[in-house]
Amino acid sequence: MRPGLCLPVGIASLIALLPALNLQAQQSKIVIPRGESTIVLEPYAPNVIRVTLSLDKDEATAAPGYGIEAKPAPAGWSYEAGESAHTYRSSRMVVTLLGGTGGHHDAVPAPEPTNVQKTQASIGKFFNGSAPWADIRFSTPDGKLLLEMNGWQMSVPNHKDGNATILNEKRPSDKDFYQVGATFASPADEHYYGLGQNQEGYLDHRGHTVECWNNYVATGGPTWCIPFAVTNKGYGLVWDNPSQTTIMPGFNEQTRWLSQVGNRVSFFVIAGHSTDEIYGGYRLLTGATPLLPKAAYGYIQCKQRYITQDELMGVAKGYRDRHLPADVLVVDWFYYTKMGQMDMDPKNWPDPKAMNDELHKMGFQTMISVWPRFVPDDRFYDSINKKGWFEHLADGTPTNGLPYDRAGSDIDTTNPEAARWYWDTIRDNILSKGFDSLWADETEPDLPPNGSYYHIGPGTRYYNVYPLFHTAALYDGFRRDTSHRALILSRDAYLGVQSKGTIVWSSDIAPTWDTLKRQVPTGLDAAASGLAYWSNDTGGWQYLPGEHHPAHPPLLDPSDARDNVGGYDDYPELYTRWFEYATFLPIMRTHGSRNFNEVWSYGKQAEPILEKYLKLRYELMPYIYSMGYSTYESGAPYMRALFMDFPNDAKAADLNDEYMFGPAFLVAPVTDQGVTTREVYLPAGTDWYNYWTNERVHGGQTISVNAPIDQLPLFVRAGSIVPLGAPVLSTNEPQALAKVRVYPGSDGSFTLYQDDGKTYGYEKGESKITRLHWTDAAGRLVHEGAEAWSGPDDALLQIVGGK
C-alpha cells in the first residue's frame, strides 16, 4: 500500500482479516464460536463435509466416531466470515452458517429469529431450548439448495423428556450423557432411503419413524442401524452417533435425527450429481467394499441344521450326482459340545479336516457358524472373565440373559486384546479343520448392551457398534493370517461393516408370503445404506406351521413333499417364488428350519423350476462378478431401487416391489400366493425387453406380465450388454464365455471383469478388464483391454431381435 493511502474502515478491516482467513482455509477445519457452543466445518472432499456442534469445544473439535476411516482434506475449500454469515465453499458445495462475526476468534452470537411474538417470549420464561440457535445451509455453487439444518439440541437427560433414568446407565467416571439431535427442513417432494434394515415393508422412509438400532424383536423382523440416508435432492447424510437413534423423516416439513446419548451433534453431508457419486463419498468415509471370494456370488446351501458329517457329505454328493452347481456348504450351530467350547463334537463330526479336504476336491467351500457366547462351564469362560473381556455390568459381572437365556455371556471384541484372542482361537480350533469362511452369528450382540459396558465405554453410548468391531476382528485376522479372501456372514451391521468382507442377512424371518413381500423393500434399503451384500434366508428361517391352507389353489402340488412341508399346502409354491427372487440377490443363500432344504426337497413339480434358476445364476456369473468389481471401484450397490437409475421418473420414487440388478435387469418378484400375472412398471426413458420372450416394450408404462410359476417377471434395458457363462458346477472351475448378448435400442457399455476369484491380487492390479461398447446406430460391438475370449466375435455375439 502506498504511504498516505486511506481506505474505508470496512475494507481495511477485511484486509486485516485476510491473513487469518487464508491461514484458516489451509487448516483441516473451521472452528466458529457461537455463544456457549462451538460449530466446526471440516471438509473431506470437495463434495463431502463434516459439521459438528457442541456445548463442549473439545468434543466439537474431536475426530469422528467409529466407522469413519477417511481423513480431512481441505484442499480446494475457501472460507469467508461476513457480517451476516460464515461461508465455506468448494467447487462442489457452498456451506453457509447464518450469523456473522467480526473475526475468527471474536464471534458474536447469531441473531435469533426476529418474528417472536409476546406469547412466545412469555413461554420462554419457563421453557427453553438446550443449545444456541444455528442455521446451516448446504447448496451447490449455482445456488441449488441441497439441505438446511435449522436447529439442534444437546440436552441433559431430564424428567420432562422422560429420559432421566438413562443416567443410571453410566458410571461416575464416564463422560456426561446428553441427548443430541438436529432438525432439517424437509420439502414435500423429498424422499429418504437407506438407514439400515427395517422390515416393516416400505422403501421411502418419509412419514415413517425409523428406530435405528440393533433390535432382534422389532416389528416385522430384526433391525440394524446404518445411520446413512440417501435422498432424491442430490445429497446423502451420515449421522455420526452410535447410540440408539430415532429418525423422523418428513413430518411437519421437517426431518429430525435424535440420538439417545452423545456429547455433540456430528454429521457428514455428501453432495452428488448422481446417487452413485453419493456412494463414492460414503466409500471415501467408511471404506471400500472388497471383492468377496467368487464362490460367494454363486449358491450357498444351508439349513438349520446339518447335524452330522455324513449328512453334509450326502448333500454335497446330491448336488454333484445331479450335475447341479453349488459353491458353499454351511455348518450351522450346535456342532460343538458346549457353547464357547470351540470344538466339534466327535460323535457327529469324526474327521472334519478330511471332510473339508474331500469337499474341496468336489469344488465346494465350507462356512461354519461361530458365536461370541461362552457358557460358564466351557473351557475358556474363566480365563475370559478374569481378563475382563466380557460385556459386563458396572461391577464387572459378565452380562447374561438368565433366567431364560442360558447361553452365557458375549465376548467384548471392542477390546483389541479380546478381539485378537477371539480370532486366534477360531483360527486354531475351527478354521484349522479346513473351513473357508465364517458365519458371525448374534452380532447385535445377542445381549443388548444398554446398561452394560464395553471396553470402549457404556453400551448405551455405543449401542450399535458391536457388529463393526466383531466383523473387523475376523476380517483383520483373515487378512493377517490367510492368503484367501475373507467371507463373513453377519447378522447385523453398522457404518463401515461393508469394508470387512461381510455379507449381512435379514436374520430369523418367518416363512410366510407377507415376509417375502416385505423382504424386497427391506433389501433395497439395506443396499441403499451402502451395504451391497445383503441377503436373506430363502424360504424363511422359522419353523413351518403345522397346517396352512391358502386362499387360492396352490400352483405346485405339495403331496410328494409332505415329509418336509407337512400341512403347509402352499409352501412349495412359496419356496419356489422365493428362490426365483433369490437368484437376483447379491448373495443367493438358502436357509431355514425344514427337515430338508435342497432343491430336490420340495416336490417333483418344484424341482425342475428350482434347478432352472440355480443354473441361471451360474449362467449370469460373468455379469454378477463384474458387478462385484464395479461395487469395489465405486461403492455403489448393484441391487438398486429404481430411484437410483431413474431419478427423473416420479413413478419410480417409491416403487418397493421391483428393482434393478446391475445396469441391465429389472426384477419384479412375485410375492402373492396363487397368482400367475402381475403388474410391472417399466421406467421411462428407455425401451425394455421381456427376458423370456424378447418382446420389446416402451418404458413409462405399467403392463400386465404373465408370471406362471416357473417365470419370474424379468426385463432387460435396451442398450444392455450381458455376458453369459458356460455351464459349470462351481466357481472353482474355469468358466468360458458362452455368449455376449446385446439388447439393442440404445448405445451401451459394460466392463467385464475377471481374476483368480480367491486372493487379493486384484488390489495389485492382477486382473483382466475388458471394456465392451455397443454402438446402436452401427449395430456394432467393440471391445478393448484384456482378451476375454478366443475366436471371432460373431461366434459369441447374440443380438436380441436379430438386428
Side-chain angles (χ1 to χ4, degrees):
M1 185 183 301
R2 295 195 301 268
L5 180 62
C6 295
L7 295 175
V9 174
I11 296 177
S13 300
L14 180 60
I15 291 175
L17 281 174
L18 282 177
L21 296 183
N22 287 335
L23 175 63
Q24 193 177 44
Q26 297 169 15
Q27 297 171 347
S28 64
K29 64 185 68 170
I30 303 298
V31 181
I32 305 169
R34 172 61 60 84
E36 297 178 354
S37 68
T38 301
I39 301 173
V40 178
L41 306 178
E42 186 175 41
Y44 281 67
N47 67 323
V48 181
I49 193 162
R50 178 186 178 213
V51 176
T52 315
L53 308 96
S54 181
L55 300 176
D56 182 330
K57 182 178 179 181
D58 290 341
E59 292 288 342
T61 56
Y66 296 114
I68 304 298
E69 297 183 357
K71 302 299 181 184
W77 285 80
S78 61
Y79 172 66
E80 178 182 352
E83 293 184 2
S84 61
H86 300 260
T87 304
Y88 202 23
R89 70 176 65 239
S90 72
S91 61
R92 295 296 310 281
M93 196 187 303
V94 179
V95 183
T96 305
L97 170 64
L98 297 186
T101 176
H104 173 50
H105 296 291
D106 302 306
V108 296
E112 298 289 345
T114 57
N115 57 340
V116 177
Q117 299 177 4
K118 290 182 179 180
T119 301
Q120 289 176 282
S122 299
I123 290 172
K125 296 177 182 178
F126 298 96
F127 307 98
N128 62 283
S130 62
W133 173 78
D135 191 304
I136 305 175
R137 298 175 185 177
F138 305 83
S139 305
T140 62
D142 61 2
K144 176 189 174 185
L145 180 65
L146 299 173
L147 175 68
E148 180 179 5
M149 190 208 83
N150 47 29
W152 69 291
Q153 74 177 76
M154 182 175 167
S155 59
V156 175
N158 61 87
H159 293 288
K160 173 64 183 295
D161 291 335
N163 62 348
T165 58
I166 201 172
L167 295 175
N168 297 327
E169 299 179 13
K170 68 176 288 294
R171 298 160 298 196
S173 58
D174 294 324
K175 288 182 181 180
D176 290 337
F177 279 11
Y178 295 89
Q179 185 182 69
V180 296
T183 302
F184 301 88
S186 178
D189 61 345
E190 186 164 36
H191 306 286
Y192 304 87
Y193 311 97
L195 298 176
Q197 177 173 281
N198 181 294
Q199 302 202 51
E200 294 179 17
Y202 49 81
L203 174 65
D204 180 6
H205 292 292
R206 185 178 187 87
H208 303 279
T209 298
V210 178
E211 294 180 340
C212 203
W213 59 83
N214 305 325
N215 184 2
Y216 183 82
V217 296
T219 302
T223 65
W224 35 259
C225 179
I226 298 180
F228 171 42
V230 175
T231 79
N232 62 322
K233 292 295 184 179
Y235 74 91
L237 189 148
V238 177
W239 185 257
D240 176 27
N241 186 301
S243 73
Q244 291 191 9
T245 297
T246 302
I247 303 105
M248 295 151 274
F251 291 91
N252 304 315
E253 301 182 356
Q254 293 181 331
T255 291
R256 294 185 62 208
W257 295 69
L258 187 65
S259 290
Q260 194 175 59
V261 173
N263 294 77
R264 66 190 181 193
V265 167
S266 174
F267 60 91
F268 296 81
V269 177
I270 307 169
H273 294 309
S274 65
T275 54
D276 282 9
E277 189 175 16
I278 295 172
Y279 290 113
Y282 184 77
R283 179 187 190 274
L284 168 73
L285 291 175
T286 64
T289 302
L291 271 169
L292 304 176
K294 195 172 185 180
Y297 301 88
Y299 178 62
I300 303 176
Q301 173 67 59
C302 183
K303 81 163 187 174
Q304 201 276 115
R305 60 190 168 104
Y306 295 120
I307 297 176
T308 69
Q309 181 171 322
D310 287 344
E311 183 184 9
L312 190 66
M313 290 302 301
V315 170
K317 189 173 185 298
Y319 276 94
R320 293 300 179 250
D321 287 351
R322 291 171 173 83
H323 303 287
L324 295 175
D327 261 279
V328 181
L329 299 179
V330 183
V331 177
D332 201 351
W333 59 348
F334 295 127
Y335 56 82
Y336 32 76
T337 57
K338 295 177 183 179
M339 181 74 78
Q341 192 74 358
M342 296 290 184
D343 64 352
M344 298 192 76
D345 190 337
K347 296 192 302 293
N348 296 327
W349 306 90
D351 195 344
K353 180 65 168 64
M355 176 194 74
N356 279 315
D357 288 345
E358 183 63 26
L359 290 172
H360 290 155
K361 292 176 184 177
M362 298 170 69
F364 288 102
Q365 293 189 16
T366 52
M367 172 184 284
I368 188 166
S369 168
V370 290
W371 279 49
R373 301 287 291 276
F374 294 80
V375 295
D377 61 343
D378 72 44
R379 58 175 168 159
F380 297 115
Y381 182 94
D382 287 344
S383 175
I384 297 171
N385 190 24
K386 287 177 182 176
K387 292 175 180 176
W389 286 353
F390 281 125
E391 174 193 350
H392 57 272
L393 305 179
D395 63 0
T397 302
T399 305
N400 63 53
L402 295 174
Y404 308 108
D405 179 333
R406 297 179 294 280
S409 301
D410 282 304
I411 191 169
D412 175 12
T413 43
T414 74
N415 184 319
E417 292 182 355
R420 180 61 184 262
W421 175 90
Y422 185 65
W423 160 259
D424 288 348
T425 304
I426 291 170
R427 178 198 62 205
D428 295 344
N429 292 276
I430 303 296
L431 292 178
S432 63
K433 293 177 171 62
F435 291 97
D436 302 283
S437 55
L438 295 172
W439 177 354
D441 209 340
E442 299 295 359
T443 50
E444 293 91 337
D446 197 26
L447 301 170
N450 49 308
S452 293
Y453 298 87
Y454 291 135
H455 174 76
I456 57 174
T460 302
R461 178 185 294 277
Y462 296 108
Y463 194 93
N464 288 320
V465 301
Y466 190 84
L468 173 64
F469 279 88
H470 199 69
T471 56
L474 302 178
Y475 180 73
D476 292 346
F478 272 113
R479 292 303 302 254
R480 182 173 55 245
D481 296 338
T482 75
S483 59
H484 64 273
R485 298 178 197 169
L487 176 61
I488 302 161
L489 175 62
S490 172
R491 186 191 294 276
D492 306 275
Y494 185 62
L495 294 171
V497 159
Q498 84 287 341
S499 69
K500 310 305 177 188
T502 300
I503 60 180
V504 179
W505 93 103
S506 59
S507 192
D508 297 343
I509 53 177
T512 65
W513 290 95
D514 172 59
T515 300
L516 172 58
K517 185 183 293 290
R518 287 184 285 105
Q519 288 302 288
V520 182
T522 296
L524 295 179
D525 267 321
S529 305
L531 185 62
Y533 296 124
W534 177 91
S535 68
N536 59 39
D537 292 345
T538 298
W541 185 83
Q542 303 287 355
Y543 292 90
L544 302 185
E547 288 189 12
H548 186 268
H549 305 297
H552 308 286
L555 298 181
L556 293 173
D557 181 7
S559 60
D560 61 346
R562 290 298 184 189
D563 61 340
N564 198 31
V565 304
Y568 197 149
D569 292 346
D570 50 321
Y571 191 75
E573 178 188 345
L574 171 60
Y575 187 83
T576 298
R577 290 300 197 189
W578 208 316
F579 198 90
E580 293 170 358
Y581 159 59
T583 304
F584 291 89
L585 290 177
I587 302 297
M588 186 183 187
R589 185 182 65 90
T590 185
H591 188 41
S593 302
R594 278 85 67 187
N595 292 330
F596 312 102
N597 196 38
E598 296 71 48
V599 295
W600 54 88
S601 305
Y602 295 97
K604 292 300 181 184
Q605 291 185 0
E607 186 174 347
I609 305 171
L610 301 177
E611 290 184 0
K612 167 185 172 180
Y613 282 86
L614 182 56
K615 292 175 181 178
L616 177 59
R617 176 75 178 196
Y618 281 80
E619 184 181 23
L620 291 172
M621 186 56 64
Y623 174 85
I624 295 170
Y625 193 56
S626 296
M627 289 300 95
Y629 174 71
S630 176
T631 291
Y632 165 67
E633 286 283 286
S634 68
Y638 59 92
M639 181 171 71
R640 303 166 65 84
L642 297 184
F643 80 89
M644 295 184 187
D645 295 302
F646 305 98
N648 299 318
D649 188 335
K651 291 184 178 180
D654 195 24
L655 271 178
N656 67 0
D657 63 350
E658 52 186 89
Y659 60 94
M660 295 298 295
F661 188 66
F665 292 99
L666 186 147
V667 186
V670 175
T671 58
D672 292 308
Q673 192 274 321
V675 304
T676 56
T677 62
R678 71 150 285 178
E679 301 293 292
V680 176
Y681 178 70
L682 301 175
T686 183
D687 282 356
W688 298 90
Y689 289 84
N690 185 313
Y691 178 80
W692 306 109
T693 68
N694 289 334
E695 177 188 5
R696 184 169 170 175
V697 186
H698 295 307
Q701 62 174 321
T702 299
I703 63 173
S704 180
V705 180
N706 289 329
I709 186 60
D710 66 339
Q711 278 192 22
L712 167 76
L714 186 64
F715 289 81
V716 185
R717 179 161 39 181
S720 294
I721 304 170
V722 180
L724 301 173
V728 291
L729 292 181
S730 77
T731 60
N732 192 53
E733 299 178 21
Q735 186 181 34
L737 282 181
K739 299 172 186 174
V740 176
R741 187 177 293 168
V742 174
Y743 291 82
S746 177
D747 292 349
S749 298
F750 187 83
T751 299
L752 177 65
Y753 178 81
Q754 301 174 81
D755 63 19
D756 63 23
K758 298 176 181 179
T759 73
Y760 287 97
Y762 72 89
E763 295 178 339
K764 306 171 187 175
E766 296 172 8
S767 57
K768 294 171 62 177
I769 297 174
T770 310
R771 292 178 175 82
L772 311 175
H773 182 74
W774 168 257
T775 303
D776 199 58
R780 188 163 62 97
L781 180 75
V782 297
H783 49 93
E784 61 181 14
E787 185 176 282
W789 60 83
S790 58
D793 293 355
D794 291 346
L796 269 72
L797 182 61
Q798 183 183 68
I799 301 174
V800 174
K803 181 177 177 180

